[in-house]
């Protein structure tokens, strides 16, 4: 350990000579040597030619009988090492840094001067050695004195002098220098052990073989109270068998703990103070407090509180940061600001090219004037509801291909800017929850969307739950994420509704809600297409969309139009709007005359386009001959096809290729019949379980082929629907509803109750007749129906036999049991007769299957 040794003659405080006069010759000689280029000996370096190697190696200070050590505190900043951002190897290194610092104009802050000023001039002491303790912020000063000097009174005089005239260093303006007599044997270590206000005192034997004594709290208080206020004394627990025995002293001030440790380390407590006959040596060290990790320990020890709090914090940050961005993108999506076709530049170029007939292509729905004229009343009705109604909740129903979307988007909403379209079909057909969320977000313009984050959050949540036993709450359910997207969309819709409002308006003093209520024309329009498409798969999506639509309508934020093929939409929407009237528009097939006009107009349009194309490609002098189409039998073909726009478009394309209407219809009917066989009769369910059986579908096909209209309850009471052997088709009404959604059949309602059953579309009616005329298919399907009926009757007989066996085991037969037995025998006989009849019919059907292809 490095020590600073100064010559006795240099630092001796001679009587009658002031300290500044005593050191002036040394400073003058130092300056003189600097001028001559000599090596300057630093103040902190030893000026003694001989250093005691024993003292240097063992880390202790050798003290003679006429020498005393006093520890001066508060000479250096405690955090000096951390400020300089490195751990210094020795106090010598720090002393060299301080020397470079002392060469500046702050020389009056020299720690040596502070020590000299702290020592009274009239004290009979002579400083012989100074040992700085930079990490303790003080220094040990060894004094030489006469043997007759009372060291205790000298310490008291020094303490009183510093209390009366405190000396405060530059870095501590509120606490002066303190000094105390070193009673123990200080250990001058240079380990990485830094001061703390908690001191550990170990009670060890002063000599080998001696038995130390554990000091009581009162004795420890007596010994250490002089160095400062003690916050707590913590003795070693009685059940703690660790040796040597120890105790902890907690000081409020770290400087007091440093003074106590440096002055009392190695002190031997005598028998009078409770140290035992041989005495007890005090071995002191700083103990680190865990204050720096107390917060972390609390967090790790309370995961049931911390983990949900972290999840809430992350959710809050997400709302604050990302929700305004998402709302902004939704507004752009509603107003079509990012769509290039809506820009002024595109519209100008489009108008110029239209005038020159450049890049103008025909669209499948360009010439639908006949259709729209036929439905003009419905179009005007929709427009009047959107412009004049306070709460607009409209449902447009109709079979697939009836032109619902075209009528609403191209006619009723023509010219409207703020229209939001949500197609439910890709949303419910998406794979997994992440796909559903991603597609709904894309439909409303909700971005950025981190669909992958929920999967990762679910894994983290599962890991936390398996380790702590509590669900972290990081992952969100599908319902909560759908709500988040939809309600962010609500905020964007409201902002769009109020975007055209100005302070100069007449009703500028109205509140936002009152303004929206009085200006229905300013509200955006939400079009929800393919509502209830595959409703049995993801009902939660339709439920949340319906609830959200009801909320925006009730709050006068937007108009909502539902487009659906499902006639049972009232079940879903009535839950969302139980106290409101749902306005509905129903689209059916076109009248034959309108359908014919549509087909003819499409054919004329295509013929004109072809003629124009041929004129461009013709050679000079070559005559262009118009293509003639054979339209014989068109009226009968349209009557067979029905009035669906998609079916009529299909017919038009086939006629254009050169087929006659009859040939085209025959091919379309055969293709439709093949699809029915594949989907409903012979095909197997893929992925998901069907709610109907093959036998039920065939009974409907066969019955509708014979009679176009069936009584609903008559079908429901037939054996195929009351006693189905297929587990998923036990409920007859559910089976009929599922077949209706699949567009095999259509159910008509009267005053809200089902009354009749017809084919799903006119094309299906023709396909049913084709299937009925197929002898092999009819024999195969009838055989399946009869087999199922025979099994049902066999089960009934088995049930009757069990009950008869039970009645036959009774000890006595009564009139009541006789009546029941006769009833069961009659039922059993009837079932047996049916089985015989079924077997006879089944044998005939098998013959057909064996003979025909």
């Amino acid at each position: 350990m490095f020590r600073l040794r100064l010559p006795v003659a240099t630092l001796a405080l001679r009587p009658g000579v002031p300290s500044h006069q005593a050191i002036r010759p040394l400073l003058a000689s130092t300056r003189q040597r600097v001028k001559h280029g000599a090596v300057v000996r630093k103040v902190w370096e030893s000026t003694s030619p001989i250093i005691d190697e024993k003292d240097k190696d063992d880390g202790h200070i050798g003290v003679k009988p006429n020498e005393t050590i006093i520890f001066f505190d508060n000479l250096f900043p405690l955090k000096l090492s951390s400020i300089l951002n490195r751990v210094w190897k020795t106090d010598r290194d720090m002393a060299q840094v301080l020397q470079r610092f002392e060469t500046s104009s702050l020389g009056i802050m020299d720690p040596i001067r502070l020590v000299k000023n702290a020592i009274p001039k009239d004290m009979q002491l002579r400083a012989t050695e100074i040992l700085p303790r930079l990490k303790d912020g003080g220094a040990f000063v060894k004094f030489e004195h006469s043997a007759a000097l009372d060291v205790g009174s000298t310490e008291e005089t020094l303490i009183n002098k510093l209390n009366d005239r405190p000396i405060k260093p530059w870095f501590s303006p509120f606490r002066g220098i303190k000094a105390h007599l070193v009673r123990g044997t200080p250990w001058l270590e240079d380990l990485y052990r830094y001061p703390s206000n908690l001191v550990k005192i170990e009670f060890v034997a002063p000599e080998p073989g001696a038995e130390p004594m554990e000091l009581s709290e009162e004795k420890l208080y007596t010994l250490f109270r002089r160095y400062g206020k003690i916050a707590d004394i913590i003795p070693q627990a009685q059940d703690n068998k660790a040796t040597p025995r120890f105790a902890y002293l907690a000081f409020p001030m770290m400087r007091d703990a440093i003074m106590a440790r440096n002055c009392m380390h190695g002190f031997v407590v005598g028998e009078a103070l409770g140290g035992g006959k041989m005495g007890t040596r005090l071995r002191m060290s700083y103990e680190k407090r865990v204050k720096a990790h107390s917060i972390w320990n609390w967090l790790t020890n309370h995961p049931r509180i911390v983990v949900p709090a972290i999840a809430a914090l992350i959710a809050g940050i997400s709302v604050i940061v990302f929700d305004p961005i998402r709302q902004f993108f939704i507004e752009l999506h509603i107003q079509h600001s990012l769509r290039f076709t809506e820009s002024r530049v595109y519209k100008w170029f489009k108008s110029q090219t239209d005038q020159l007939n450049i890049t103008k292509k025909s669209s499948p729905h360009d010439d639908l004037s006949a259709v729209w004229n036929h439905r003009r009343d419905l179009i005007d009705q929709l427009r009047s509801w959107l412009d004049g109604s306070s709460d607009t909740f409209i449902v447009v129903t109709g079979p697939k291909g009836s032109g619902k979307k075209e009528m609403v988007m191209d006619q009723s909403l023509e010219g409207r800017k703020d229209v939001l379209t949500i197609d439910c079909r890709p949303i419910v057909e998406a794979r997994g929850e992440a796909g559903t969320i991603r597609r709904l977000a894309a439909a409303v313009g909700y971005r950025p969307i981190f669909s992958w984050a929920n999967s990762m959050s679910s894994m983290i949540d599962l890991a936390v739950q398996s380790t702590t036993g509590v669900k972290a709450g990081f992952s969100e359910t599908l319902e909560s994420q759908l709500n988040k997207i939809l309600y962010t969309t609500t905020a964007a819709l409201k902002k769009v509704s109020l975007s055209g409002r100005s302070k100069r308006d007449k009703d500028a003093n109205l509140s936002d809600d009152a303004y929206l209520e009085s200006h229905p024309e300013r509200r955006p329009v939400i079009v929800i297409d393919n509502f209830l498409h595959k409703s049995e798969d993801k009902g939660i999506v339709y439920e949340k969309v319906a609830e959200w639509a009801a909320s925006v309508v009730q709050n006068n934020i937007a108009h909502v139009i539902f487009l659906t093929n499902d006639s049972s939409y009232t079940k879903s929407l009535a839950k969302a709007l139980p106290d409101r009237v749902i306005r509905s528009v129903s689209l059916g097939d076109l009248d034959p005359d309108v359908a014919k006009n549509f087909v003819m107009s499409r054919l004329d349009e295509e013929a004109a386009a072809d003629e124009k194309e041929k004129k461009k490609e013709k050679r000079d002098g070559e005559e262009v001959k118009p293509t003639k189409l054979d339209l014989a039998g068109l009226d009968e073909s349209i009557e067979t096809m029905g009035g669906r726009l998609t079916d009529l478009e299909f017919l038009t394309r086939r006629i254009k290729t050169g087929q006659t209407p009859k040939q085209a219809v025959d091919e379309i009917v055969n293709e439709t019949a093949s699809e029915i066989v594949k989907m409903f009769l012979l095909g197997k369910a893929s992925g998901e379980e069907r709610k109907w059986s093959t036998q039920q579908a065939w009974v409907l096909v066969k019955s509708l082929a014979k009679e176009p209209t069936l009584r609903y309850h008559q079908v429901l009471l037939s054996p195929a629907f009351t006693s189905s052997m297929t587990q998923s088709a036990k409920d007859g009404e559910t089976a009929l509803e599922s077949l209706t959604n699949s567009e095999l059949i259509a159910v008509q309602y009267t005053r809200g109750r089902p009354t009749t059953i017809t084919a799903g579309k006119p094309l299906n009616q023709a396909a049913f007749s084709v299937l009925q005329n197929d002898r092999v298919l009819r024999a195969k399907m009838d055989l399946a129906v009869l087999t199922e009926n025979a099994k049902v009757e066999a089960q009934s007989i088995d049930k009757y036999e069990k009950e008869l066996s039970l009645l036959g085991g009774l000890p006595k037969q009564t009139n009541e049991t006789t009546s029941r037995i006769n009833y069961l025998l009659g039922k059993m006989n009837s079932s047996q007769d049916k089985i015989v009849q079924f077997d006879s019919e089944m044998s005939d059907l098998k013959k057909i299957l064996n003979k025909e292809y």
Side-chain angles (χ1 to χ4, degrees), residues 452-694:
W452 51 267
N454 194 48
S455 301
M456 186 177 295
S457 301
S458 300
M459 296 173 62
I460 297 174
D461 205 353
L462 182 62
V464 172
Q465 187 175 6
S466 61
T467 54
T468 63
V470 60
K471 192 170 183 180
F474 285 111
S475 62
E476 295 181 290
T477 62
L478 176 62
E479 180 180 357
S480 62
Q481 294 187 80
L482 293 178
N483 287 333
K484 182 189 298 184
I485 294 174
L486 294 175
Y487 285 114
T488 305
T489 307
T490 301
L493 286 168
K494 186 172 184 179
K495 194 170 181 180
V496 170
S497 302
L498 299 172
S499 60
R501 192 177 185 185
S502 175
K503 295 181 179 179
R504 293 173 294 180
D505 294 341
K506 296 180 180 179
D507 50 2
N509 57 340
L510 294 177
S511 62
D512 292 344
D513 294 339
Y515 178 83
L516 292 176
E517 185 176 359
S518 59
H519 292 276
E521 73 281 358
R522 295 293 184 95
R523 304 175 206 164
V525 179
I526 304 171
V527 179
I528 302 175
D529 193 13
N530 287 316
F531 185 68
L532 297 181
H533 172 74
K534 292 185 179 180
S535 58
E536 65 275 3
D537 293 343
K538 292 183 179 179
I540 187 173
V541 174
Y542 296 115
E543 180 182 349
K544 292 303 170 184
V545 169
E547 291 177 358
W548 169 69
S551 67
V552 297
V553 169
Q554 289 176 341
N555 294 321
N556 298 315
I557 295 176
H559 305 292
V560 179
I561 301 176
F562 286 92
L563 308 180
T564 180
N565 305 330
D566 196 336
S567 57
S568 60
Y569 65 88
T570 53
K571 296 179 181 178
S572 300
L573 298 182
K575 297 179 182 178
L577 280 175
D579 56 343
R580 299 294 178 97
V581 177
I582 300 175
R583 305 177 186 271
S584 62
V585 173
S586 181
L587 300 183
D589 294 338
L590 297 177
D591 293 339
D593 294 339
V594 178
K596 182 179 180 179
N597 291 335
F598 171 75
V599 173
M600 294 300 297
S601 63
R602 297 295 297 136
L603 291 174
D604 293 341
E605 181 183 351
E606 294 292 341
D610 291 343
E611 184 177 354
K612 186 176 181 181
E613 190 70 23
K614 289 180 180 179
K615 285 182 180 180
K616 290 181 180 180
E617 297 177 356
K618 77 172 182 175
R619 299 175 183 176
D620 294 337
E622 184 179 355
E623 184 180 357
V624 178
K625 295 182 179 181
T627 304
K628 294 184 179 180
L629 300 175
D630 185 3
L631 300 180
L634 181 60
D635 294 340
E636 294 79 5
S637 299
I638 290 177
E639 187 175 353
T640 302
M641 292 292 297
R644 301 287 174 89
L645 288 178
T646 53
D647 294 341
L648 294 175
E649 286 282 354
F650 194 27
L651 175 63
T652 303
R653 287 195 295 269
R654 285 187 172 273
I655 296 176
K656 180 187 172 184
T657 59
Q659 292 182 338
T660 64
K662 186 176 186 310
Q663 291 173 344
V665 169
D666 290 342
E667 288 190 10
I668 294 173
V669 170
N670 289 330
E671 290 177 3
T672 305
S674 300
E675 291 177 1
I676 292 173
V677 171
K678 183 178 179 180
M679 293 178 58
F680 298 96
L681 302 181
L682 301 182
K684 296 182 180 179
S686 58
E688 57 200 28
E689 191 176 13
R690 298 185 300 193
K691 302 284 182 68
W692 42 267
S693 66
T694 301

Side-chain angles (χ1 to χ4, degrees), residues 741-798:
N741 294 334
S742 301
E743 296 189 345
L744 179 68
I745 60 173
V747 178
Q748 281 70 41
Y749 291 82
T750 302
R751 291 188 292 275
R753 65 176 182 85
T755 54
T756 58
I757 297 176
T758 59
K761 54 184 178 179
L763 192 58
N764 284 0
Q765 184 66 44
F768 293 163
S769 299
V770 172
L771 296 177
Q772 171 67 14
N773 295 329
D774 187 342
R775 286 173 53 83
V776 176
L777 177 64
R778 185 174 70 240
K780 179 178 176 60
M781 300 310 303
D782 286 343
L783 181 62
V785 173
L786 292 174
T787 302
E788 185 180 53
N789 292 340
K791 290 181 181 179
V792 171
E793 297 301 332
Q795 288 183 350
S796 300
I797 291 174
D798 184 59

